[in-house]
Amino acid sequence: MARKSATNEAGQEAVPAAGTRVERSAGRSAGRTAAGARRAGTRTVVRWVGLAVTGVAVVGATGAVAAVGLPWAQALTGGGPAAEPGAARTVAVDPAPATLVCPQPARLPEGSDVGDDQFQAAPVRTTSTYALAVVGSLAQAPRVSALDGGGERDLVRGAAGSATADETSGGVLLRARPDAEGPFRAAGALASVTTAGDLRGLAAGACTAPAISQWVVGGSTEVGSSAMLVVQNPSERAATVTLTVHGPSGQVALGSNGSFVLGPGESRETRLEAAAPDQRRLAVHVTSSGARVNAHLQAQSIDGLVPQGVDLLTPGAEPRRTVAVPGIVSGGQAVDDPHAPQLRMLVPGEEPTTARVSVYGPEGRVYLRGGEEVDLEPGVVTDLPIGGLPEGSYTVVVDADRPLVAAAVSAREGVPAADAVVSGAPYDVAWVAGAAVPEAAGSAQAALPAGARPVLALTAVPADRGEDADPSGRTAAVVRLYGADGARVAEREVTLEVARSTTVDLAGLADGATPAAVGVEADGAGVVWSVQLSADDGTSAAGTLVASLPATATEAAPGSVSVREVDAVG
């Protein structure tokens, strides 16, 4: 493969390493941030990592990883003049390293691929693509490695790199050190495409930061369904992990499956259909002590021999009184259609609450007959059908007096293959995790894996969501697209009508270029969004494989902290 070179605006040349599938470049930032304009003359670099890989669905796919994320503990540095006792002073610090960990590629659970040539569970291979985008100063110099620390290398200016996870590595990640020049904007994602067999579908999940508490809402363990929970430990310390599973009747007893120790760089899979069988609805709480971990859930279902969808579910917002679920797609299904969109809710704790549900579509607010208020029992997972909506993209906002978690699922019907030996239409599903409603203007971003068509779904959530409210007004959001070489390929300012959903076809906005990342900067509060992905399965119908990716919020990277001397006794 011949090397390609690119020259940035500063006249410096970035040469990708021969044979790699990773490219990046640098240029000056012209973007606005919620914190204000960056210093004049500061150089900005966008690094993007992507690699398409193939592997037999039974054993999973191999791939390159991308990960960057949230800071952990910071160390104080610097001296400075002595301060009066009890007086606060500002101390310069280097922002702490940040990490995002990506989900593993979709694959069939072990032992699923049985049968003859006509009825095999995995007749085709699964193709998985990881993508990573980082916007920040050239000093960030990310390091990419496998989850267990193997194969670590720098991504330095003028070179490119990738890391490959084999079938036993358990995952891959990348660490970066934010700088104090401005906000740290990063995102990663994985997409796995399978065009036939039990795993037919587009499964996509965002790379997320390690945490001590994570809620994954979605999936089922009914007959014909599989829910495989994967917990990964990217730290250098062992973690004690506790699982709490909730179903339609409350918390499920897990026995010995409810707690385990995860060593540094290790991952563990738990088949929830074995640990918590016959649960029509699931919500999983993963907590850890000793180290922060990452969790994701592969949800898959089949009706007899007809696939009914697969997706990768990543953690949503922690329990809160207001949760938004943006980018739910309705195909115009009837109210009683089992494939109509569903909203899933859970209120943790021991007290019940009433959820007030608001639905916003292309024409404004839509009222659900008998569904505007839902009584929620503590610890019980509840589904609310939201069928009967006209075809389009919707955002659901749930308000309650007690903190809750939520997610939603939508389905898209496919076309049976010409040589299908069983009747029935296949389906694919897209799960959308609940998110917080921003209380101020801000920015967020998402990486866009190659091989899937992206559509941006945005909604400006009104502050007054009462039944008699008549919200009005407008806000603006700037949408920026970046290519695989790190260059900005498109930019558009989108006017958002409050309480109305808006979609932007990112492939059309790119005008022939292949977008690798999208960034959204909102001028006002309440703007929520997600990316709807679609792919083809090789039949006469286009875009029958679907998934969704959430926005990854921009994080502050403070360059100083305020310290105060105190006298402690004991």
Side-chain angles (χ1 to χ4, degrees), residues 39 74-77 90-96 178-182 556-562:
R39 296 181 183 177
Q74 296 181 340
L76 298 178
T77 61
T90 300
V91 178
V93 298
D94 291 328
D179 63 77
E181 296 297 322
S560 62
V561 295
S562 180

Side-chain angles (χ1 to χ4, degrees), residues 229-232 256-257 259-262 266-270:
L229 180 71
V230 180
V231 181
Q232 304 174 93
S256 60
N257 294 306
S259 182
F260 53 86
V261 175
L262 203 58
E266 292 183 351
S267 63
R268 173 166 171 156
E269 300 172 358
T270 301

Side-chain angles (χ1 to χ4, degrees), residues 464-483:
D464 185 356
R465 295 181 289 276
E467 186 175 350
D468 298 327
D470 184 19
S472 61
R474 296 180 179 181
T475 189
V478 178
V479 179
R480 295 187 178 92
L481 282 181
Y482 300 93

Side-chain angles (χ1 to χ4, degrees), residues 8 21 96 181 194 241 252 254 260 269 338 359 395 446 482 506 535:
N8 63 19
R21 293 288 300 280
E181 296 297 322
T194 312
V241 179
V252 182
L254 299 180
F260 53 86
E269 300 172 358
V359 181
T395 289
Y482 300 93
L506 298 183

Side-chain angles (χ1 to χ4, degrees), residues 33-39 42-44 95 135-137 140 177-185 443 554-559:
T33 67
R38 297 171 66 100
R39 296 181 183 177
T42 298
R43 291 183 295 179
T44 298
V135 180
S137 103
Q140 289 174 350
R177 181 177 294 278
D179 63 77
E181 296 297 322
F184 184 64
R185 295 178 288 174
S443 65
T554 296
E555 294 296 325

Side-chain angles (χ1 to χ4, degrees), residues 200-424:
R200 175 193 176 275
L202 170 59
C207 306
T208 58
I212 61 172
S213 173
Q214 298 168 90
W215 285 91
V216 183
V217 180
S220 170
T221 60
E222 282 190 313
V223 175
S225 297
S226 172
M228 184 167 63
L229 180 71
V230 180
V231 181
Q232 304 174 93
N233 181 8
S235 76
E236 298 178 354
R237 299 184 302 275
T240 300
V241 179
T242 301
L243 307 181
T244 305
V245 175
H246 296 267
S249 300
Q251 185 172 334
V252 182
L254 299 180
S256 60
N257 294 306
S259 182
F260 53 86
V261 175
L262 203 58
E266 292 183 351
S267 63
R268 173 166 171 156
E269 300 172 358
T270 301
R271 296 278 295 273
L272 295 183
E273 61 268 30
D278 300 324
Q279 302 297 317
R280 182 180 180 88
R281 303 181 288 273
L282 288 177
V284 183
H285 188 203
V286 180
T287 59
S288 66
S289 61
R292 300 180 182 184
V293 299
N294 286 74
H296 66 274
L297 181 73
Q298 178 183 302
Q300 172 210 349
S301 61
I302 189 168
D303 182 8
L305 295 174
V306 182
Q308 299 296 294
V310 63
D311 206 358
L312 292 172
L313 285 59
T314 53
E318 285 290 293
R320 60 189 61 239
R321 294 183 178 181
T322 298
V323 180
V325 188
I328 305 169
V329 179
S330 170
Q333 297 97 333
V335 175
D336 58 352
D337 190 329
H339 297 289
Q342 301 268 344
L343 174 67
R344 182 163 298 181
M345 297 168 286
L346 167 71
V347 53
E350 299 179 355
E351 298 293 331
T353 191
T354 298
R356 297 174 293 279
V357 180
S358 306
V359 181
Y360 302 101
E363 303 301 322
R365 182 165 182 175
V366 180
Y367 290 91
L368 302 174
R369 296 179 180 178
E372 284 79 24
E373 290 192 353
V374 181
D375 293 331
L376 301 178
E377 293 298 322
V380 174
V381 182
T382 302
D383 275 2
L384 173 66
I386 47 179
L389 301 175
E391 186 174 350
S393 178
Y394 294 82
T395 289
V396 173
V397 181
V398 184
D399 292 288
D401 295 329
R402 301 191 63 82
L404 52 75
V405 293
V409 63
S410 54
R412 183 168 299 180
E413 185 177 1
V415 175
D419 58 350
V421 295
V422 294
S423 61

